[in-house]
């Protein structure tokens, strides 16, 4: 049986290493990517594939953890090069008709939209595969198992492959060289309870290595799962405290407070300025304040008044 080769492709997002990965898994004729990255990093993707003696046309399958622009923006383009694209049922309609997704991202990023994310083409319908929770994806000799993992986004899968779990954003964001992790708690679908349940679900599976899209493959999944849970509890306490101090906090003040918290935390962990910037690129800390406020209003507000 052909040897399986697993390679982390660094997409060099905004000229910065170790911000966004696409994972290449190769065995015989099967050339599988987990995550396409955004449309703005096609050059990085092509360069990474070229290092392996491949071109985008050689990619046979693309598995998406979720449809956020930094993970799935180039999926449509890859489908036009011939790749079969696999996605969560809730994310699938947006891959065929990305207008709403693009409009909501444009509200956040404004005129930086194009330079940050590039083009988001719809996936060709005949190339789109909607896959169910725990429904094996068999590609040649390879088997991938998607696990439903909402919380960061409703439409999120982690993919188990041999002893590795490819976790997208549900197990946080980290950068090689540091035992430090952040949870990307972005609007509009952030749901802390569901996120905790997803971590529990992942704990029930056994894997020796963990590969968040931001960034790299690590051999300490226990540590990562534990620290994600702690990060979620800490964030919940933070928003509870902010709402207790001021029931209607201005969002600008919340963003500032959250960012200050993250900067202080980063400093305590000895992160260099460069690494702080890399974290900010993959996961702007202010946006987690938006996500947490929205979550609080939608779910906690109801709980406290009923
Ligand atoms: Zn995401």
């Amino acid at each position: 049986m052909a040897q399986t080769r697993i390679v982390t492709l660094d997409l060099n997002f905004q000229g910065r290493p170790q911000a966004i990965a696409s994972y290449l898994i190769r065995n015989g004729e099967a050339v599988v990517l987990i995550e396409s990255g955004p449309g703005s990093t096609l050059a990085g993707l092509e360069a990474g594939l070229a290092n392996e003696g491949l071109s985008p046309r050689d990619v046979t399958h693309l598995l998406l953890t979720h449809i956020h622009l930094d993970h799935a923006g180039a999926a449509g383009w890859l489908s036009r090069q011939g790749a079969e694209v696999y996605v969560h049922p809730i994310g699938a309609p947006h891959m065929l008709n990305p207008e709403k997704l693009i409009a909501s991202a444009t509200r956040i990023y404004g005129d930086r939209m194009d330079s940050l994310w590039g083009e988001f083409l719809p996936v060709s319908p005949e190339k789109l595969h909607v896959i169910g929770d725990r429904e094996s994806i068999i590609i040649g000799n390879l088997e991938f198992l998607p696990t439903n993992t909402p919380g960061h986004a409703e439409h999120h899968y982690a993919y188990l492959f041999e002893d590795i779990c490819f976790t997208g954003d549900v197990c946080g964001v980290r950068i090689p060289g540091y035992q430090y992790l952040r949870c990307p708690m972005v609007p509009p679908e952030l749901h802390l309870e569901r996120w905790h349940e997803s971590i529990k679900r992942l704990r029930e599976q056994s894997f020796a290595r963990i590969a968040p899209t931001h960034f790299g493959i690590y051999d300490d999944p226990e540590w990562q799962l534990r620290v994600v849970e702690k990060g979620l509890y800490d964030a919940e306490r933070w928003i509870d405290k902010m709402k207790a101090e001021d029931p209607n906090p201005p969002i600008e003040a919340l963003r500032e407070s959250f960012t200050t918290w993250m900067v202080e935390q980063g400093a305590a962990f000895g992160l260099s300025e460069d690494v702080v910037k890399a974290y900010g690129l993959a996961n702007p800390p202010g946006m987690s304040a938006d996500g947490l406020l929205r979550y609080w209003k939608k779910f906690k507000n109801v709980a406290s008044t009923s």
Side-chain angles (χ1 to χ4, degrees):
M1 197 186 281
Q3 273 267 312
T4 301
R5 181 164 167 75
I6 302 171
V7 185
T8 305
L9 306 181
D10 190 337
L11 300 183
N12 210 24
F13 179 58
Q14 304 290 294
R16 193 162 289 277
Q18 303 185 325
I20 303 179
S22 165
Y23 294 103
L24 168 69
I25 298 121
R26 222 179 145 178
N27 180 297
E29 298 291 297
V31 177
V32 181
L33 290 181
I34 300 202
E35 317 287 45
S36 65
S40 57
T41 55
L42 283 179
L45 182 66
E46 288 189 71
L49 289 168
N51 269 340
E52 295 295 311
L54 297 167
S55 89
R57 287 188 197 284
D58 297 318
V59 176
T60 57
H61 298 77
L62 168 65
L63 277 52
L64 299 170
T65 62
H66 63 304
I67 64 164
H68 289 163
L69 299 170
D70 50 334
H71 297 253
W77 186 82
L78 273 169
S79 77
R80 287 154 201 234
Q81 311 303 307
E84 307 291 330
V85 179
Y86 288 75
V87 70
H88 190 290
I90 301 175
H94 299 285
M95 298 311 291
L96 296 173
N97 299 295
E99 296 79 15
K100 256 173 82 178
L101 191 70
I102 294 167
S104 85
T106 305
R107 278 197 292 279
I108 298 172
Y109 298 105
D111 54 11
R112 293 189 308 138
M113 192 60 192
D114 197 52
S115 62
L116 277 173
W117 307 118
E119 200 174 15
F120 193 122
L121 296 170
V123 171
S124 317
E126 72 280 8
K127 292 290 185 188
L128 191 73
H129 303 265
V130 179
I131 193 86
D133 180 30
R134 313 286 291 163
E135 190 182 325
S136 270
I137 303 167
I138 309 277
I139 304 167
N141 297 322
L142 310 177
E143 180 177 2
F144 297 85
L145 194 65
T147 297
N148 195 30
T149 39
H152 167 79
E154 270 299 291
H155 59 275
H156 194 291
Y157 276 150
Y159 293 98
L160 198 62
F161 172 75
E162 296 183 350
D163 71 338
I164 305 188
C165 191
F166 295 94
T167 54
D169 283 345
V170 74
C171 290
V173 173
R174 63 191 289 199
I175 287 172
Y178 297 90
Q179 284 298 97
Y180 177 67
L181 176 146
R182 282 185 192 167
C183 301
M185 294 170 287
V186 296
E189 295 176 340
L190 173 71
H191 197 302
L192 295 175
E193 274 178 28
R194 282 194 206 155
W195 199 330
H196 282 293
E197 283 163 21
S198 294
I199 299 299
K200 225 182 269 167
R201 205 165 299 136
L202 289 176
R203 274 188 198 288
E204 285 159 10
Q205 308 195 6
S206 87
F207 47 92
R209 292 187 286 166
I210 187 160
T213 301
H214 320 285
F215 177 101
I217 303 176
Y218 302 85
D219 59 7
D220 57 2
E222 268 303 312
W223 177 86
Q224 187 156 344
L225 294 173
R226 194 174 65 242
V227 175
V228 171
E229 282 186 315
K230 182 179 181 312
L232 298 178
Y233 285 126
D234 288 350
E236 185 160 12
R237 268 196 298 274
W238 176 84
I239 190 67
D240 284 349
K241 183 170 150 268
M242 297 307 279
K243 290 291 281 183
E245 283 170 8
D246 177 355
N248 290 304
I251 185 61
E252 294 77 16
L254 279 183
R255 284 181 195 143
E256 202 182 308
S257 161
F258 194 90
T259 303
T260 305
W261 178 27
M262 286 300 113
V263 167
E264 286 171 1
Q265 202 182 67
F269 276 83
L271 303 190
S272 70
E273 206 177 306
D274 246 28
V275 167
V276 169
K277 274 191 199 148
Y279 268 101
L281 270 182
N283 166 33
M287 219 181 279
S288 285
D290 292 75
L292 285 163
L293 181 62
R294 195 179 164 116
Y295 170 75
W296 202 98
K297 284 182 177 163
K298 240 158 82 182
F299 301 106
K300 300 204 77 171
N301 209 17
V302 178
S304 63
T305 52
S306 62

